[in-house]
Amino acid sequence: MMKTILPGQTVGIIGGGQLGRMMALAAKEAGFKIAVLDPAMDSPTGQIADVQLIASYNDLEALEELAAISDVITYEFENIDVEGLSHLCSIAYVPQGSELIRITQNRVYEKEEIEKAGVPVAQYIVAASYQELLEKSTTLSYPLVVKTARGGYDGKGQQTIRSEQELPLAEPLFSNGECVAEEFVAFMKEISVIVQRNGLGETAILPIGENIHKDHILHETIVPARVESSTIEKATKAAVAIAEHLKMVGTLAVEMFVLQNGDIMVNELAPRPHNSGHYSIEATNSSQFHQHIRAICGWPLRSPRLWSDAVMVNVLGEHVAPLTSKIAHYPNWSIHLYGKDEAKYKRKMGHVTILTADIEGTLEEIEASGIWADKLEEI
């Protein structure tokens, strides 16, 4: 049963990273109080929360304490303990439930549910062992991408296999258990569709972004995506179909490949606000974080509107110093830093959003700034 959570009540967040921080900031604007559960003493979300619970995500006592002080509970990342979350659902109001987490934690379950929703994925096989991979891989065409069923992000937990002779490169992945092997998709672009849904089944979709990666980490999101309107229609239809099939509440980011003919193929799901939606804070009338809070609190969703074309650029650890040294040169940049304690190499530390009437010129400006140069030394 959907509840309506009102200003003055408390939103509990499992996870204290940057997504939780931006959720919390959006919730505080509407007058909510924030409680956060995270192992770190000074997490990005904890810095702005009203209540901090310092404990591991599977600490049942801490989860029960979070339930006691929260009127609604959400999460900011998917790698949380499903059993603990299921227990939480039995004693607290968690409108997103635990089933979506169970599905998206496992690539096998995820692909099965995407297919059940009638949405295409790459041809794939499931292998419980390296020997099974050798036996089943004959049904696929090379190159392949072998991925662990559980865990892995930003390119971790996967291996590209270009020929039968390279199959041994995938053997170490099986130390983490079952794997998925899928045919490599010759895609033209990657886009992400962020769909948000409340308990009444009302859905809203942010303007669709085009993603550019470096070293398997999202580098830039360009909005609107530079694809045909027919592709936008297909992507929107697919995202809504998946959201409705899963009966999800909250936020679901659907990463898709755009093929040469303009068709789409789903790559993966993320059951939470997504890095590629950060642009929405400045560029839309209701950011992904505001919409997420509306969805879990039982409020009506706003119809998303793009105020301006935009480019979002991630700030990793190696970019923080060059960025801060050049702030005075770029007054039109919106700079977000997440309050993390140490600027480690390749660690996501923040992002920059640039509203623009000239996407290509802005991409050139980003490159010319030198902040995101490819050969920065590790810090």
Side-chain angles (χ1 to χ4, degrees):
M1 180 183 296
M2 188 184 79
K3 296 181 181 180
T4 301
I5 309 301
L6 299 174
Q9 293 184 281
T10 299
V11 176
I13 302 174
I14 302 173
Q18 64 265 24
L19 298 177
R21 181 188 181 95
M22 288 181 274
M23 276 184 206
L25 288 169
K28 278 184 168 287
E29 285 182 16
F32 292 104
K33 296 177 183 176
I34 300 297
V36 60
L37 170 64
D38 192 88
M41 180 69 70
D42 190 40
S43 68
T45 313
Q47 293 166 11
I48 62 168
D50 299 282
V51 180
Q52 289 189 73
L53 301 176
I54 313 300
S56 63
Y57 304 122
N58 61 354
D59 185 322
L60 289 181
E61 186 175 334
L63 288 169
E64 289 174 356
E65 187 175 354
L66 183 66
I69 61 177
S70 302
D71 297 288
V72 61
I73 295 175
T74 185
Y75 46 78
E76 64 121 26
F77 72 123
E78 56 268 44
N79 292 319
I80 56 180
D81 182 65
V82 172
E83 291 184 5
L85 186 60
S86 297
H87 173 66
L88 194 61
C89 290
S90 70
I91 61 172
Y93 181 49
V94 188
Q96 293 160 278
S98 61
E99 182 65 5
L100 185 58
I101 286 289
R102 185 191 71 83
I103 292 167
T104 54
Q105 278 186 353
N106 188 301
R107 287 188 171 98
V108 177
Y109 303 156
E110 184 175 276
K111 287 181 179 296
E112 289 173 349
E113 295 302 324
I114 293 169
E115 289 182 307
K116 287 177 184 176
V119 176
V121 297
Q123 188 71 26
Y124 72 97
I125 57 99
V126 178
S129 65
Y130 175 62
Q131 184 59 40
E132 189 174 5
L133 173 67
L134 295 179
E135 294 167 1
K136 288 185 172 181
S137 61
T138 56
T139 64
L140 299 177
S141 300
Y142 291 96
L144 308 176
V145 182
V146 182
K147 303 176 180 179
T148 55
R150 294 179 60 88
Y153 62 96
D154 289 343
K156 299 177 177 67
Q158 59 183 266
Q159 177 65 54
T160 300
I161 305 296
R162 294 175 177 80
S163 66
E164 183 179 356
Q165 289 69 38
E166 289 190 357
L167 279 171
L169 294 174
E171 187 170 8
L173 295 177
F174 288 90
S175 63
N176 292 321
E178 192 173 50
C179 290
V180 172
E182 60 187 40
E183 291 183 358
F184 181 81
V185 176
F187 62 95
M188 181 176 66
K189 292 185 178 182
E190 182 189 288
I191 59 175
S192 55
V193 187
I194 298 175
V195 56
Q196 299 181 295
R197 186 174 185 270
N198 65 18
L200 295 175
E202 180 185 3
T203 59
I205 291 184
L206 284 178
I208 295 173
E210 172 188 340
N211 297 331
I212 297 173
H213 292 79
K214 285 186 178 181
D215 300 324
H216 303 288
I217 301 172
L218 181 64
H219 171 53
E220 293 170 333
T221 296
I222 299 163
V223 187
R226 297 170 296 180
V227 297
E228 298 294 329
S229 60
S230 58
T231 297
I232 296 295
E233 291 174 10
K234 293 172 186 175
T236 299
K237 183 178 178 180
V240 171
I242 294 169
E244 291 184 347
H245 169 72
L246 296 173
K247 296 181 172 59
M248 54 80 63
V249 172
T251 303
L252 184 71
V254 186
E255 294 184 58
M256 305 182 186
F257 296 131
V258 179
L259 309 184
Q260 294 292 335
N261 63 1
D263 286 346
I264 57 93
M265 186 171 286
V266 171
N267 180 28
E268 61 184 16
L269 309 177
R272 46 153 174 89
H274 193 262
N275 195 167
S276 62
H278 291 349
Y279 77 89
S280 62
I281 296 172
E282 282 83 18
T284 70
N285 60 333
S286 189
S287 77
Q288 65 170 338
F289 302 102
H290 290 90
Q291 293 277 64
H292 182 78
I293 296 300
R294 283 174 168 267
I296 65 167
C297 290
W299 291 20
L301 302 180
R302 298 186 72 180
S303 179
R305 179 178 176 184
L306 188 67
W307 296 131
S308 167
D309 293 358
V311 179
M312 187 283 302
V313 198
N314 266 336
V315 176
L316 306 182
E318 61 269 32
H319 307 139
V320 173
L323 172 65
T324 53
S325 71
K326 295 187 177 183
I327 287 175
H329 299 289
Y330 301 101
N332 294 324
W333 292 11
S334 296
I335 296 170
H336 298 253
L337 294 175
Y338 303 145
K340 294 184 178 180
D341 56 354
E342 186 179 355
K344 296 179 182 177
Y345 183 68
K346 297 299 179 189
R347 186 185 193 190
K348 291 177 182 175
M349 300 298 295
H351 70 271
V352 172
T353 299
I354 308 167
L355 305 185
T356 179
D358 179 7
I359 290 287
E360 295 304 325
T362 298
L363 294 174
E364 291 173 6
E365 177 183 76
I366 291 165
E367 185 71 22
S369 74
I371 294 167
W372 289 275
D374 290 333
K375 295 185 178 181
L376 290 172
E377 295 180 356
E378 293 192 15
I379 58 174

